[in-house]
Amino acid sequence: MTINRSLLVLAAALLAGCGNTPPAPDWQLTAQSSVERFTNAYLTGNSRVEDADFRRARDALASTGQASMVLRAELTRCATRVAALVFEDCAGFEQLAQDASPADRAYAAYLAGRATSADAALLPEQHRAAASATSDTAAAAAVQAIADPLSKLVASGVLMRAGKATPQTLADAVDVASTQGWRRPLMAWLGVQAMRAQQAGDTAEAQRLQRRIDLATGKKS
């Protein structure tokens, strides 16, 4: 996933080295695989596995004594929450925020839906256009253009948190989550669609969406 590769770029570079390159330290191997696993586990709805693998990744990164490594794991975890419309404080980041880089602070502000134009330039490339957009329509179009599935869901969640998500934003997020088989964000985004349909008086559409939610959860009608 794009976010994971950008957060653990050092580990990825070492793992891709030639045969004469010394083996990557165990902490890098453990951290990279554990970040990938905890991210996927959260998105697919397996909280127990997500918690265990997050702790494993965090412990491996903490063994370096570098706060920046741990901060990025915390931000990755918070990003998965935003992708699934779970809007809460990024507590793990806040605990170490005094040692955060400007780029990490900018990304944390972006996830919280309060990135400034100055923050936008420091974000991962795929998020810059949406963060710097001057209108809700432009922001929605920028998110629609993001190719990486997780980045697109995160950016969609940021729009939702800021009250800027359009019906197309919701539809695209549902499509991404469905295509990836990411049950947790799928149910969250379908739930928003169903609520909006109900508010609009479209009972038939709300019922159709609820049937999709029930199917994803395994609930029998």
Side-chain angles (χ1 to χ4, degrees):
M1 296 177 186
T2 300
I3 290 178
N4 293 345
R5 287 199 299 268
S6 66
L7 295 176
L8 294 174
V9 63
L10 176 60
L14 289 176
L15 288 170
C18 64
N20 293 328
T21 302
D26 286 347
W27 73 264
Q28 288 182 348
L29 299 172
T30 299
Q32 185 180 32
S33 61
S34 296
V35 166
E36 292 173 353
R37 286 197 302 268
F38 86 66
T39 300
N40 188 66
Y42 182 79
L43 295 170
T44 55
N46 194 330
S47 298
R48 181 183 59 81
V49 171
E50 188 260 352
D51 186 63
D53 278 311
F54 173 75
R55 292 179 184 281
R56 189 174 294 112
R58 197 183 191 286
D59 286 347
L61 294 166
S63 71
T64 68
Q66 298 183 53
S68 61
M69 295 285 189
V70 178
L71 279 165
R72 289 165 194 164
E74 294 285 359
L75 286 172
T76 299
R77 194 182 204 193
C78 292
T80 62
R81 268 68 180 166
V82 172
L85 303 182
V86 177
F87 301 143
E88 57 191 14
D89 292 338
C90 193
F93 173 83
E94 294 299 333
Q95 290 172 4
L96 299 170
Q98 62 184 353
D99 293 317
S101 69
D104 290 337
R105 290 180 185 275
Y107 190 60
Y110 175 67
L111 293 179
R114 49 180 174 77
T116 65
S117 56
D119 291 328
L122 300 175
L123 295 175
E125 184 176 357
Q126 64 271 27
H127 293 288
R128 291 173 192 165
S132 60
T134 56
S135 69
D136 294 359
T137 301
V143 170
Q144 192 171 19
I146 296 174
D148 176 68
L150 181 53
S151 296
K152 188 167 189 171
L153 277 186
V154 171
S156 299
V158 169
L159 287 189
M160 189 71 186
R161 191 168 199 173
K164 299 178 180 179
T166 66
Q168 188 61 53
T169 303
L170 270 62
D172 288 347
V174 166
D175 287 345
V176 168
S178 177
T179 298
Q180 297 298 318
W182 290 338
R183 181 178 286 112
R184 195 188 299 268
L186 175 62
M187 291 189 297
W189 287 99
L190 284 172
V192 174
Q193 282 189 316
M195 179 184 67
R196 290 193 176 183
Q198 193 69 48
Q199 290 172 342
D202 192 343
T203 303
E205 176 65 2
Q207 290 175 342
R208 184 189 70 82
L209 291 165
Q210 186 59 52
R211 289 194 297 271
R212 286 195 69 182
I213 295 171
D214 292 344
L215 183 64
T217 60
K219 181 179 178 181
K220 296 182 179 179
S221 56

